[in-house]
Amino acid sequence: MTHTSGSTPVTERGARAVTGGCLAALITLILVLGTVLAWTAYAFHRAGTGNADRRTEARAAVEQQARQAASATVRALTAARASAGDTAAQDIVLRNARDRDGGGGAVASVLGYDRATGRLTNVTPFSSAYEVRPALWGAVRTESETRCYALVFRHDTGTWRADVTARPEADCARRQSVTDAAQAAQDILRTLVRPTASRSEVQHLLAPVGGASDGYTYNVTTVTGQGSAVTVTALVHAAGQQQCYRFIHNTGSQDSDSVTTFPVAAAHCDG
């Protein structure tokens, strides 16, 4: 008796068809996965490049802001015919820094006057926002590029000029403590209800703010009242920093905007 093999031509053709189908499916899957991976890599590359470009543009905008601020301050100093050593010149520099900050009030830049060179130096931060866009999904978020600059103003041969140089971030960050102290005083002064309050009364009101826990201290130098408004001038100390401030409070209101706060030249706190 003759024995035949278990496979037949039909079975063999079926096996080849199945094998070919699996191979085709595998090739298709590889192509699809390769396409997805390539597209994903491209999406991340495009998003990363776009975000980097927008950050670079924000950095350039920050420097441009610093130069524009310096030019605006030079124009203000020139219009006021101020001299470098004048209290008025220092007030102009501080006011322009505050106005540039959107009326930031208590935010105080570092202001120094070098009598030997006759130069006013304003160290202050500048910021510019930019969009960070996700590669695949998620919300677009906004980040800020911030840099610290020194605006150096000099009064040469009757003409104001300015130089702009980058500074380490720490030079600007160290002013945060005195800004916080001024904002704390602003909150307390909202509770002042009498425009005829004396200097000692205001000093007593601010004394609890300067406790050991926060390290804020205040030296109230002048208090004047006119109508419903009371103006307090005080030297604010915090973390080794100090700044003269003027607080103007509408005693008829305790709203969040009832106290206007802004840094002024140190000479105003001489008493």
Side-chain angles (χ1 to χ4, degrees), residues 30-241:
I30 291 173
L31 289 174
V32 169
L33 288 176
T35 301
V36 170
L37 288 174
W39 182 84
T40 301
Y42 170 73
F44 274 95
H45 172 73
R46 182 182 61 182
T49 300
N51 291 332
D53 288 345
R54 283 185 289 276
R55 184 177 184 183
T56 299
E57 291 171 359
R59 287 178 177 174
V62 168
E63 182 174 352
Q64 183 63 21
Q65 284 180 25
R67 297 192 180 281
Q68 289 175 346
S71 297
T73 303
V74 164
R75 290 193 296 271
L77 290 166
T78 302
R81 298 181 180 179
S83 297
D86 289 348
T87 299
Q90 297 177 40
D91 281 340
I92 288 170
V93 173
L94 286 168
R95 183 182 68 240
N96 276 30
R98 185 182 77 251
D99 292 346
R100 174 198 56 77
D101 193 49
V107 177
S109 54
V110 182
L111 179 63
Y113 172 57
D114 188 334
R115 294 183 182 277
T117 61
R119 295 184 177 184
L120 274 169
T121 301
N122 181 30
V123 181
T124 187
F126 291 83
S127 299
S128 180
Y130 66 98
E131 287 186 346
V132 177
R133 300 173 186 171
L136 298 177
W137 55 78
V140 175
R141 70 179 190 275
T142 300
E143 292 190 0
S144 181
E145 184 70 17
T146 301
R147 297 192 69 187
C148 185
Y149 283 94
L151 313 184
V152 182
F153 303 97
R154 62 186 190 280
H155 195 223
D156 297 335
T157 63
T159 303
W160 280 100
R161 307 180 193 282
D163 296 318
V164 178
T165 57
R167 285 284 187 88
E169 295 301 320
D171 287 359
C172 286
R174 62 193 178 97
R175 293 298 279 182
Q176 186 59 47
S177 57
V178 78
T179 294
D180 292 343
Q183 290 172 333
Q186 176 177 285
D187 292 339
I188 291 295
L189 289 172
R190 289 195 189 104
T191 65
L192 193 62
V193 295
R194 291 191 305 107
T196 56
S198 66
R199 187 179 71 83
S200 60
E201 288 173 331
V202 175
Q203 182 70 64
H204 179 73
L205 183 66
L206 289 174
V209 184
S213 61
D214 49 34
Y216 304 157
T217 58
Y218 306 90
N219 180 20
V220 178
T221 56
T222 61
V223 177
T224 58
Q226 184 175 5
S228 62
V230 59
T231 300
V232 175
T233 304
L235 189 62
V236 177
H237 301 264
Q241 300 290 307

